[in-house]
Amino acid sequence: MTPTASSPLPISRPRRRLLMTCGFLALLVTAMVLDTRVIEIGSEADQRQAGFSPEQYGAEQFPIVQAHVVERAVEASELANALATDKAATIDEHGVDAGIGPVLPVSFSGTVGEGKAGMYEVQVPGLPEALTLRVQTGPAINGTDLRDATGDIEFGQFTNQIEYQNAGAAINNAMKQAVLADIDTAALAGKHIEVTGVFKLINPASWMVTPVRMSVQQP
């Protein structure tokens, strides 16, 4: 049958396939546009896309940790007496569980003795003679006491153990910049210091304090 001027021309199979393909691609592009999420540069979502930044995390978290410790710190002789009287109750009231030992907030002032590797023994009036109190000043700040001090930073918030460890190291580094950068930590022996910080209670006769605040005066 010969098509007339008023009847539509039949669509060939190749052309039909081409039209169907073009239609499918148009639907696919529309779906992609609708599913596209705009990420604002610098936003929290942008930071997640970029990956975990220990430096940024430490800078953000240290002021929170510092404020928490300063608010809850117990004077050293008072804390020592409370631990000697009722260790469990004192830990329950002031401590934060950190696995192998609770982290406790403490404040003290005293005279610095000789140090080794940035760790100084401090003679604090009112402490039992059997108790050794030291403060660590770097260059290496050991442990995760600052990370664990609030109880709000947990492993489940991170991708893996490496990130969790890096978070602790980053908070330590942020503390060094904020608290210790202007202190001559190589020349503390014989000086009087005032410290607020935290320590992990593992050995009751030895406290290793990581500071969140520290000031130095001449004797």
Side-chain angles (χ1 to χ4, degrees):
M1 177 179 179
T2 302
T4 64
S6 60
S7 61
L9 292 175
I11 300 176
S12 65
R13 287 184 178 178
R15 187 178 179 188
R16 185 180 296 113
R17 285 197 297 269
L18 177 62
L19 290 174
M20 291 176 65
T21 300
C22 290
F24 174 76
L25 291 175
L27 290 173
L28 180 62
V29 170
T30 301
M32 291 173 63
V33 169
L34 292 175
D35 194 50
T36 299
R37 181 184 178 191
V38 177
I39 302 297
E40 182 181 351
I41 295 176
S43 68
E44 182 179 351
D46 180 45
Q47 293 165 13
R48 288 198 299 267
Q49 294 270 347
F52 178 67
S53 169
E55 293 78 11
Q56 182 174 346
Y57 184 85
E60 291 172 349
Q61 292 299 315
F62 174 66
I64 298 172
V65 173
Q66 182 185 51
H68 178 90
V69 173
V70 168
E71 180 181 357
R72 297 178 59 250
V74 183
E75 196 276 325
S77 61
E78 177 184 342
L79 183 59
N81 290 334
L83 287 169
T85 302
D86 192 334
K87 180 180 176 181
T90 302
I91 291 173
D92 185 60
E93 181 178 0
H94 301 292
V96 172
D97 182 38
I100 62 172
V103 175
L104 291 163
V106 66
S107 63
F108 59 89
S109 61
T111 303
V112 181
E114 295 298 322
K116 183 178 181 180
M119 301 180 187
Y120 291 91
E121 185 173 344
V122 185
Q123 299 298 322
V124 178
L127 288 185
E129 290 186 5
L131 173 58
T132 299
L133 185 151
R134 293 179 293 165
V135 60
Q136 62 169 332
T137 64
I141 300 297
N142 300 313
T144 58
D145 296 0
L146 296 183
R147 184 196 69 189
D148 301 334
T150 66
D152 295 330
I153 301 174
E154 301 175 342
F155 174 72
Q157 299 167 358
F158 301 89
T159 302
N160 50 44
Q161 183 66 32
I162 294 174
E163 274 194 9
Y164 191 43
Q165 288 297 119
N166 288 343
I171 295 172
N172 289 351
N173 289 335
M175 181 279 290
K176 285 172 61 178
Q177 291 298 317
V179 177
L180 301 175
D182 295 331
I183 296 175
D184 184 359
T185 57
L188 287 176
K191 295 183 178 177
H192 187 84
I193 61 174
E194 294 183 356
V195 176
T196 300
V198 292
F199 68 97
K200 188 168 290 185
L201 185 63
I202 299 174
N203 180 355
S206 180
W207 299 358
M208 173 60 74
V209 176
T210 303
V212 299
R213 280 187 179 175
M214 182 170 171
S215 60
V216 182
Q217 294 86 34
Q218 294 294 336

